[in-house]
Amino acid sequence: MEVVQVLHMKGGAGETSYANNSLVQQKVISMTKPITEEAIAELYCSTYPAVIAIADLGCSSGPNTLFVVSELIKVVDRIRQKIGQKSPEYQVFLNDLPGNDFNTIFRSLPSFQNRLKKQLGTGSGPCFFTGVPGSFYGRLFRNNSLHFIHSSYSLQWLSQVPEGLESNKGNIYMASTSPPDVLKAYYEQFQKDFSLFLKCRSEELVARGRMVLTILGRRSDDPSSKECCYIWELLAMALNDMVLEGLIEEEKLNSFSIPQYTPSPGEVKSEVLKEGSFTIDRLEVTEVNWNAYQNEVDLSDAFKDGGYNVAKCMRAVAEPLLNSHFGEAIIDEVKSLLIACPRRRLSLSMSLSPLLKADYLIQQLLYWPPVCVCV
């Protein structure tokens, strides 16, 4: 599987699109907002740059893409008004893989910029946007050209499916039945990718630049623990049922693997220290409930159903991968198996409490160049 070519969230604005099924990710951005705002404030107050270059890596598409940028700009604008400073200009780079729905982002920019101007009022500097298609596991920008880097819910995706997974038959990811060599292959791929990511970003950031990363992770030391793998085990169960029904070939299933690794805080810290380009200022783990609607009222039964919401979220994330490998015809059957089968529906409900009621988010604020390590 060529991950760079096929990995992207489902585009457009339809019912099953990522834009309409990313409330969990939106909740994550809101929950981690204090750290992000603190970082951009410290950056601005340390140098008062005339131009602030911001990169959002793994920006995807939909309302979350521009929400982060607008909040960062508002923080800087409040500070500069308070101290009577002339507004900087803003250069915003939106990065994701080539298959991302950049067109939807670009179409939304005029209305977004008009709203932002009204919110900021007179005196705010212009904001320029550039789309940057490409893998963040490589250089994307010129040396010393970025002041602030943000990435949320993206770095758990690997640059490629790890090699040596032939013994992981019947699974599509790390699972409780996966052999040790499979777990090792996933971890080594994460180490390689994350180290390269850090190296590339250190070359692109200016001195005293900031980087805030929010990664889907886990608390457990076991990479195959249910807190990070159970969702993919449910999808594997659905695909195995389809093999038994003759809807897909067993060989096709055994050659399909999810290119993702959800690290523990210790694994993240170890790679940052080993690579050596950054100082860790903060490293925190936060829980977010999978059911983004759980605190809402006046919702239909469908939206109150945690299993229904998890299945929709999984479809928005995994559909491009499934379509590329198995063909488009299977996706509705997969969703049906996930939310209609009583046995599996029960599993989904159980996974929300207590096994998978939450994602574990590892958020870190990194400084460049390194001085000391504070966690």
Side-chain angles (χ1 to χ4, degrees):
M1 181 192 298
E2 292 293 332
V3 172
V4 171
Q5 299 301 320
V6 302
L7 179 59
H8 58 87
M9 306 300 101
K10 187 174 182 183
E15 181 185 352
T16 61
S17 67
Y18 179 79
N20 285 320
N21 292 280
S22 54
L23 282 181
V24 172
Q25 290 83 351
Q26 185 181 89
K27 180 186 277 190
V28 167
I29 292 170
S30 297
M31 289 173 61
T32 57
K33 187 177 168 184
I35 290 180
T36 306
E37 291 187 347
E38 176 188 324
I40 192 72
E42 290 179 353
L43 165 73
Y44 179 63
C45 293
S46 65
T47 58
Y48 299 111
V51 178
I52 299 179
I54 300 169
D56 190 3
L57 306 184
C59 66
S60 193
S61 63
N64 296 340
T65 299
L66 299 176
F67 174 72
V68 173
V69 172
S70 66
E71 293 304 302
L72 292 172
I73 293 173
K74 288 174 187 176
V75 170
V76 173
D77 198 66
R78 284 197 297 269
I79 295 173
R80 70 95 190 163
Q81 288 189 52
K82 186 176 181 180
I83 62 176
Q85 189 84 1
K86 180 182 177 181
S87 174
E89 294 186 350
Y90 303 95
Q91 174 66 65
V92 179
F93 298 99
L94 301 175
N95 157 259
D96 214 313
L97 293 175
N100 184 54
D101 187 5
F102 284 101
N103 287 337
T104 294
I105 299 174
F106 297 149
R107 282 194 293 266
S108 69
L109 282 178
S111 60
F112 167 79
Q113 289 178 309
N114 288 335
R115 284 196 307 274
L116 190 61
K117 285 179 182 178
K118 291 178 181 179
Q119 291 170 350
L120 297 179
T122 58
S124 62
C127 186
F128 305 98
F129 287 85
T130 302
V132 185
S135 172
F136 48 51
Y137 294 122
R139 284 291 300 274
L140 293 167
F141 309 100
R142 294 181 295 107
N143 280 348
N144 306 311
S145 61
L146 299 177
H147 296 87
F148 191 89
I149 294 174
H150 173 267
S151 182
S152 181
Y153 252 61
S154 297
L155 275 164
Q156 68 271 11
W157 293 106
L158 302 173
S159 66
Q160 65 179 57
V161 172
E163 297 179 356
L165 304 184
E166 293 80 9
S167 60
N168 203 30
K169 296 187 184 300
N171 297 314
I172 62 172
Y173 187 54
M174 294 178 292
S176 55
T177 58
S178 296
D181 63 309
V182 169
L183 308 185
K184 181 181 179 183
Y186 268 99
Y187 178 49
E188 289 179 347
Q189 187 64 51
F190 163 75
Q191 289 179 300
K192 177 182 176 181
D193 285 347
F194 192 46
S195 177
L196 181 58
F197 174 89
L198 294 171
K199 180 179 184 297
C200 292
R201 302 296 83 79
S202 70
E203 295 169 1
E204 296 163 349
L205 273 172
V206 300
R208 302 169 77 180
R210 301 291 193 276
M211 182 161 67
V212 178
L213 311 176
T214 304
I215 310 170
L216 184 61
R218 67 181 196 276
R219 290 189 189 274
S220 171
D221 290 331
D222 179 9
S224 64
S225 66
K226 288 189 179 298
E227 70 182 31
C228 56
C229 300
Y230 194 53
I231 285 294
W232 297 122
E233 286 191 36
L234 291 172
L235 179 56
M237 289 165 63
L239 293 172
N240 275 287
D241 282 355
M242 294 177 71
V243 169
L244 295 175
E245 294 171 13
L247 298 175
I248 59 177
E249 298 176 0
E250 184 175 10
E251 182 180 348
K252 202 76 171 171
L253 171 60
N254 288 333
S255 62
F256 178 70
S257 296
I258 299 294
Q260 187 181 95
Y261 187 83
T262 49
S264 68
E267 289 171 343
V268 171
K269 180 179 178 180
S270 175
E271 289 308 308
V272 173
L273 296 179
K274 186 167 62 175
E275 196 278 330
S277 296
F278 288 90
T279 295
I280 301 176
D281 182 65
R282 294 173 69 172
L283 181 62
E284 301 183 1
V285 181
T286 308
E287 267 187 36
V288 58
N289 196 291
W290 256 96
N291 188 359
Y293 301 94
Q294 68 163 3
N295 296 322
E296 304 294 330
V297 295
D298 297 327
L299 294 172
S300 69
D301 289 339
F303 282 98
K304 291 177 182 177
D305 186 323
Y308 177 86
N309 292 322
V310 172
K312 286 188 68 176
C313 181
M314 286 178 66
R315 176 171 181 169
V317 171
E319 181 169 341
L321 292 172
L322 292 169
N323 285 348
S324 173
H325 191 80
F326 297 103
E328 297 181 6
I330 75 157
I331 192 65
D332 287 331
E333 180 68 18
V334 170
K335 182 181 177 184
S336 296
L337 285 169
L338 283 171
I339 66 175
C341 172
R343 176 171 59 89
R344 193 157 287 108
R345 187 164 183 149
L346 176 61
S347 295
L348 279 168
S349 298
M350 290 175 62
S351 75
L352 295 174
S353 179
L355 293 178
L356 250 187
K357 77 173 183 180
D359 281 341
Y360 291 93
L361 307 172
I362 298 174
Q363 186 175 45
Q364 51 183 341
L365 170 57
L366 301 174
Y367 288 74
W368 189 88
V371 182
C372 62
V373 176
C374 304
V375 181

